[in-house]
Amino acid sequence: MRMLLPPIDRRREMDKNLVAFFRDHRPIDFRRAIADFCRYYHLRRPRIGWYEYIDWGKTAGKTFEDGRIHLVHPENWKRGRVYNSERMWVQMVYHELAHYLFWTDAESKAESFTHRMVRGLRRTPKRARVAVTRGARVTRPSAGRTSGANRAAARRTRQDRENTRRSINESRTATRGRRRKTIARSNRRTTQRARG
């Protein structure tokens, strides 16, 4: 999977601001780093909450689907932790920002994916065939006598076909102007050749 990353100079600037925040605890440094990150990826700024510890010290940071991020503040980072270096804290912030980036608008993405996966799966019910079983003839109901559920499915399929036709027509009309120009150019060339 390819990932789009900020250019190296931008990443260095963000890293420098995070390191400055870890050392001096000035909120402006942290806000600048987060603002650079969000500006590059065109995201809203996450709501960040600072904690002494999360999950009784087991977790360094936590990202939620609604855009909240819980982080352990640098002042509390060294208390009772095995990995308590400045670099580990900065990497933890990047890790939580990655969760935030890839979870952005997850619900609508999932809905869009679902709609695209099921589009066109339902087909119109076919005419019933006559099935023959050892001497007895069993008939299945014809398409004219389908149940209400089958009629609803057929209606949805018709709507899908109409939507597909509309989108095809829209894409054709978008390219008509270009086709006319190329046809006009070729007509001019042929008339110039005929005259010359």
Side-chain angles (χ1 to χ4, degrees):
M1 177 175 139
R2 283 185 72 185
M3 288 189 188
L4 185 65
L5 296 174
I8 190 73
D9 56 338
R10 211 165 192 178
R11 281 187 276 160
R12 282 186 182 134
E13 184 68 27
M14 285 180 359
D15 201 73
K16 186 177 87 174
N17 284 327
L18 288 174
V19 167
F21 176 70
F22 185 87
R23 291 179 183 165
D24 304 331
H25 310 303
R26 292 186 319 164
I28 188 71
D29 294 325
F30 187 78
R31 281 200 301 267
R32 282 181 186 150
I34 299 301
D36 285 346
F37 175 85
C38 293
R39 199 175 304 120
Y40 181 77
Y41 287 108
H42 305 288
L43 299 172
R44 288 181 182 172
R45 286 190 194 178
R47 290 175 292 155
I48 294 175
W50 297 107
Y51 293 88
E52 287 185 27
Y53 55 85
I54 302 170
D55 290 340
W56 303 102
K58 295 176 187 171
T59 309
K62 206 167 194 175
T63 306
F64 299 92
E65 288 189 32
D66 61 352
R68 289 179 300 132
I69 299 177
H70 292 176
L71 297 174
V72 174
H73 197 275
E75 291 174 337
N76 308 311
W77 181 250
K78 294 186 179 183
R79 291 186 196 154
R81 298 190 64 83
V82 177
Y83 306 108
N84 55 12
S85 68
E86 169 188 288
R87 186 61 9 210
M88 289 300 292
W89 184 84
V90 171
Q91 288 180 5
M92 180 268 304
V93 172
Y94 289 145
H95 181 87
E96 297 308 320
L97 287 175
H99 280 308
Y100 177 70
L101 172 65
F102 295 122
W103 273 356
T104 301
D105 207 16
E107 198 58 39
S108 66
K109 285 178 184 175
E111 285 298 315
S112 173
F113 177 78
T114 304
H115 287 299
R116 290 179 184 184
M117 284 297 286
V118 298
R119 186 183 300 148
L121 291 181
R122 290 189 177 143
R123 294 184 178 168
T124 54
K126 294 182 179 179
R127 283 252 183 239
R129 295 179 309 196
V130 177
V132 179
T133 57
R134 292 194 185 171
R137 214 170 210 214
V138 180
T139 58
R140 294 183 186 148
S142 66
R145 297 181 204 154
T146 56
S147 66
N150 288 343
R151 282 195 295 270
R155 201 176 312 119
R156 280 193 296 272
T157 307
R158 266 186 259 123
Q159 289 170 351
D160 287 347
R161 271 193 246 122
E162 289 170 10
N163 290 339
T164 307
R165 281 190 203 121
R166 274 193 215 117
S167 64
I168 290 170
N169 288 337
E170 288 170 2
S171 65
R172 284 181 183 161
T173 55
T175 57
R176 276 188 190 151
R178 282 185 254 150
R179 287 183 187 159
R180 286 182 186 150
K181 288 176 186 173
T182 54
I183 291 170
R185 282 189 205 129
S186 64
N187 287 344
R188 270 190 250 128
R189 288 183 193 140
T190 53
T191 54
Q192 287 172 356
R193 287 183 192 150
R195 287 180 190 166

